[in-house]
Amino acid sequence: MTADQRMTLADSIHTNGATPNPWWANAVVYQIYPRSFQDTNGDGFGDLPGITSRLDYLADLGVDVIWLSPVFRSPQDDNGYDISDYQDIDPMFGTLDDMDELIAEAHDRGLKVVMDLVVNHTSDEHAWFQASRDKDDPHADWYWWRPAKAGHEPGTPGAEPNEWGSYFGGSAWEYDPKRGEYYLHQFSKKQPDLNWENPEVRAAVYRMMNWWLDRGVDGFRMDVITLISKHVDANGELPGVGDSARDAGPIGPDGYSSPNPFCADGPRQDEFLAEMHREVFDGRDGYLTVGEAPGISAERNRTITDPANRELDMLFLFDHVEPGGGQSKWTAEPWSLAHLKRCLAGHQRAVRDRGWTSLFFNNHDQPRVVSRWGDDSSEEMRVLSAKAIALLLHMHRGTPYVYQGEELGMTNVYFDSLDQYRDLESINMYHQLTEAGVLSEEAMMDALKAISRDNARTPMQWDATKYAGFTASYAPTEPWIGTNPNKDVINVKKQLRDGDSVLAFYRRLIELRHTNPVVAAGDWAMLDEADPKVYAFVRTLREEGVGGGIDGSGEKRLVVVVNMSSGSAALPPETKDLLGLNMSGAIIGGASADRVLIGNYPAEQVAADLLFGKLAPWEAFAYEL
Ligand code: GLC
Ligand code: CA
């Protein structure tokens, strides 16, 4: 389907709310982690020419947009999320010319290109930060500089302005001897937080964004964008700092308190986003904005994404991929389907009439979903569960995101030793939590196997050669991170030849988003919410012109049923009733294989299973009423 045809479908669909859908309402976005996607010069790092060389694969998969994790100039402390020059490409990835070529080649194939905007912080090597180290420089107030705690010698232990810990380990404050003060960094000490209270900071960011849009990019994924407005008091002060009346939060077993919630979704969040919209996006069209929004409620998501407020198109919420109850991800209880249902239902219900939501299970910070919630213990279960989880996600209302390799059912890597890890969060937290006695070394290794970000960052598996086709087998340098040994079984080349592959299944799901109005725009309602194994819901579209439901009401319904377990399960009562009541009279009490829109078992088996009210392991399908 061409980009034009897709637009026409989007134009013809109206949500149950009042606003006509913009182009991205039935688009699918593919996330690329450039370092691990395709290396073309044998240095062991993926690069921009590598992405360009794989555009045909992506166009063929059917996605509409590619989002690139950061490729800007960076010391690479946090794999590019620490940017030292926003208007240049890191030599590791190529040049600005390579970027221009990638954009042009993508556009030729009807693919849009979205870049990562990392503006809660810069690198400490950015010129703004270097200038800011001088109290007399015009950039002096561009970051969160604070003096040592009263009565303490600057730079000595315990002299930090407050007790906040960094998400990547250690204090969130770093002492700079040149300035004689501390700067705030919620992430690594090479990622100082920018001071968004300063209008010059904001203006500089908007100038840079306009420069990229003018160059041809189609929008931004905005890194931790909900951290830009901090909860300062009337004097502009942070809790626990100086003579602030507020303390900096409860101290955890590792000796630190969390900067969240003091640094998330502060009082000026909406103001900053609306200002950004005015300064950057007003008067443009065809772009996409998606904000990374840890800690944001479904209701706040509705406000921020309500088109009337002119802030952002959509956000990534994280409650569904995070443990509930404020637990740390390293020590969390095992995952539960009840938690997933509660979170996704919350997202869906909040944006029923206005606002929008993104749909994702994987990205470069999450473990592989088939290992996390599916079953990677055998090839048969891996394939079934990867498809089941994909169907579950893609049949919701919203804009789906596919993370590289997810479309193959790539799994966690299960590294055995700490020196195989590259991620600074994984390595720092290993030391911090084992040294503080929070976890034993063995328990921490298990935690890393289950949730380390590096699980998502191993080389893309193109084929079964030594480095999975990510880089040539004879390349002088090994890939920057180990290749998953299961590349022999799980790879693009193999799946392209198999009509029943996970890859083929994703292609079909993406096609349905583009061609089936109920999938794209239908209302969403949960079925059998309390069932511990089965996740079921119904999508309903009532609209003139696309009607023709079997009761003649002009209503189209899709029932989506997923057995989220490796055992069999009973078809739960609400789902059964809904299917039974609407069964075609011609096959009394039976189900028709023709009504199975998509499923991971043969349609005839789905129909038979419906008749007996039983679901096979990971059985998943969408059934048209
Ligand atoms: C976001 C990114 C993550 C990065 C962090 C700091 O959460 O997705 O990869 O480490 O922000 O920029
Ligand atoms: Ca390279």
Side-chain angles (χ1 to χ4, degrees):
M1 176 186 259
T2 67
D4 277 356
Q5 282 170 317
R6 281 201 283 270
M7 301 278 218
T8 317
L9 177 68
D11 289 344
S12 73
I13 293 169
H14 293 259
T15 59
N16 288 354
T19 46
N21 280 327
W23 68 268
W24 40 254
N26 71 328
V28 180
V29 183
Y30 187 93
Q31 183 192 352
I32 294 177
Y33 198 64
R35 219 183 221 259
S36 306
F37 194 62
Q38 179 67 66
D39 176 24
T40 55
N41 62 354
D43 67 354
F45 295 100
D47 43 51
L48 294 179
I51 299 172
T52 305
S53 74
R54 295 295 187 179
L55 288 173
D56 285 334
Y57 166 77
L58 299 171
D60 191 49
L61 179 59
V63 297
D64 306 270
V65 182
I66 55 176
W67 145 33
L68 309 186
S69 276
V71 290
F72 312 95
R73 199 174 272 272
S74 159
Q76 303 290 329
D77 184 52
D78 184 21
N79 292 0
Y81 282 92
D82 49 316
I83 297 170
S84 55
D85 185 347
Y86 290 106
Q87 289 171 230
D88 201 3
I89 299 294
D90 197 275
M92 161 191 196
F93 295 118
T95 62
L96 276 170
D97 285 343
D98 293 330
M99 189 65 212
D100 290 341
E101 181 169 346
L102 166 54
I103 295 171
E105 292 286 328
H107 288 173
D108 277 353
R109 291 165 177 80
L111 294 167
K112 291 182 187 266
V113 181
V114 160
M115 292 187 96
D116 219 305
L117 181 81
V118 188
V119 290
N120 171 68
H121 43 267
T122 66
S123 163
D124 64 335
E125 296 181 35
H126 195 290
W128 298 343
F129 183 80
Q130 287 303 319
S132 181
R133 297 174 66 200
D134 176 353
K135 276 185 182 160
D136 298 322
D137 190 275
H139 296 83
D141 191 31
W142 282 41
Y143 295 82
W144 295 87
W145 292 101
R146 291 296 182 270
K149 212 176 214 128
H152 288 258
E153 181 61 31
T156 60
E160 292 82 17
N162 71 16
E163 289 70 43
W164 286 346
S166 146
Y167 297 124
F168 291 164
S171 169
W173 296 96
E174 182 70 11
Y175 181 64
D176 177 32
K178 178 169 178 210
R179 172 138 169 168
E181 290 187 316
Y182 290 82
Y183 62 86
L184 174 69
H185 60 89
Q186 294 187 76
F187 296 93
S188 97
K189 63 181 182 212
K190 289 187 67 63
Q191 294 168 297
D193 279 51
L194 277 167
N195 176 14
W196 274 69
E197 301 291 324
N198 184 336
E200 287 172 25
V201 168
R202 306 202 299 272
V205 168
Y206 305 151
R207 268 196 303 279
M208 173 272 282
M209 293 171 73
N210 277 308
W211 183 85
W212 275 112
L213 291 168
D214 292 344
R215 208 175 179 104
V217 312
D218 301 292
F220 299 99
R221 173 271 187 185
M222 304 183 184
D223 192 65
V224 289
I225 200 66
T226 45
L227 305 188
I228 59 177
S229 170
K230 283 133 172 103
H231 293 260
V232 290
D233 65 16
N235 304 317
E237 198 45 277
L238 298 165
V241 177
D243 50 15
S244 158
R246 299 173 296 165
D247 77 33
I251 305 214
D254 54 4
Y256 297 107
S257 66
S258 172
N260 194 284
F262 307 105
C263 291
D265 201 23
R268 302 185 72 187
Q269 186 69 41
D270 295 296
E271 177 197 334
F272 291 161
L273 292 176
E275 179 185 75
M276 177 192 282
H277 198 289
R278 274 197 312 280
E279 299 296 323
V280 180
F281 298 106
D282 270 8
R284 298 186 187 267
D285 56 25
Y287 64 85
L288 171 71
T289 58
V290 50
E292 191 197 23
I296 290 286
S297 67
E299 288 68 36
R300 282 288 292 139
N301 174 55
R302 175 178 55 224
T303 304
I304 294 172
T305 64
D306 182 346
N309 295 333
R310 305 183 77 71
E311 295 186 41
L312 297 178
D313 295 336
M314 62 190 93
L315 298 179
F316 294 128
L317 302 183
F318 287 91
D319 51 353
H320 66 300
V321 290
E322 277 166 0
Q327 299 177 79
S328 128
K329 73 181 211 179
W330 304 104
T331 52
E333 302 282 310
W335 175 76
S336 84
L337 182 61
H339 177 74
L340 181 71
K341 282 187 178 183
R342 199 163 44 242
C343 296
L344 291 188
H347 302 174
Q348 295 284 309
R349 287 171 187 149
V351 296
R352 189 168 174 223
D353 299 316
R354 59 198 166 91
W356 193 248
T357 189
S358 62
L359 305 170
F360 78 97
F361 289 153
N362 269 128
N363 64 33
H364 64 293
D365 296 328
Q366 301 295 328
R368 294 285 181 180
V369 70
V370 68
S371 301
R372 187 184 210 177
W373 300 339
D375 182 349
D376 65 3
S377 67
S378 72
E379 182 57 6
E380 189 195 358
M381 288 297 141
R382 182 190 71 83
V383 170
L384 281 172
S385 63
K387 290 177 181 173
I389 293 168
L391 185 143
L392 171 72
L393 186 73
H394 284 251
M395 287 295 121
H396 278 83
R397 179 167 170 267
T399 300
Y401 287 71
V402 180
Y403 176 71
Q404 67 183 45
E406 182 183 345
E407 76 278 21
L408 308 175
M410 272 178 66
T411 69
N412 281 357
V413 63
Y414 303 111
F415 286 144
D416 295 311
S417 101
L418 189 63
D419 62 22
Q420 292 172 291
Y421 286 95
R422 298 288 175 267
D423 171 30
L424 87 170
E425 181 197 38
S426 301
I427 297 167
N428 292 354
M429 294 314 287
Y430 177 92
H431 293 299
Q432 182 158 318
L433 297 178
T434 56
E435 280 158 28
V438 176
L439 285 175
S440 69
E441 292 185 10
E442 208 190 346
M444 188 64 196
M445 283 308 295
D446 287 345
L448 290 175
K449 281 185 189 173
I451 49 167
S452 166
R453 308 196 294 180
D454 278 341
N455 286 303
R457 300 177 178 185
T458 60
M460 175 69 178
Q461 290 165 209
W462 298 104
D463 59 37
T465 57
K466 190 167 174 205
Y467 301 124
F470 161 70
T471 193
S473 321
Y474 49 82
T477 329
E478 288 191 5
W480 68 277
I481 188 171
T483 307
N484 195 320
N486 66 20
K487 62 168 170 62
D488 298 340
V489 184
I490 306 170
N491 64 62
V492 170
K493 193 172 174 191
K494 195 168 161 218
Q495 295 197 21
L496 281 175
R497 287 192 303 243
D498 172 6
D500 231 9
S501 63
V502 178
L503 178 60
F505 199 78
Y506 268 86
R507 187 185 290 134
R508 173 85 178 118
L509 286 170
I510 294 165
E511 188 189 331
L512 286 173
R513 175 76 44 183
H514 293 148
T515 55
N516 187 305
V518 190
V519 173
D523 195 16
W524 180 95
M526 178 75 91
L527 297 168
D528 299 292
E529 192 148 0
D531 193 289
K533 275 188 175 176
V534 178
Y535 190 131
F537 52 92
V538 56
R539 304 287 311 278
T540 308
L541 190 74
R542 182 174 236 294
E543 210 217 350
E544 269 166 82
V546 286
I550 54 169
D551 53 0
S553 66
E555 189 170 83
K556 279 199 158 185
R557 281 193 287 184
L558 258 188
V559 180
V560 178
V561 182
V562 182
N563 173 8
M564 288 288 285
S565 80
S566 299
S568 55
L571 197 63
E574 282 173 21
T575 308
K576 212 173 179 171
D577 275 3
L578 188 62
L579 290 162
L581 280 175
N582 291 281
M583 225 60 96
S584 156
I587 339 157
I588 298 163
S592 158
D594 299 342
R595 292 184 177 275
V596 179
L597 182 66
I598 180 168
N600 60 355
Y601 282 84
E604 294 70 26
Q605 182 177 338
V606 172
D609 287 346
L610 285 178
L611 195 58
F612 294 106
K614 248 188 71 175
L615 298 167
W618 297 104
E619 181 165 356
F621 53 86
Y623 189 88
E624 294 177 294
L625 288 187

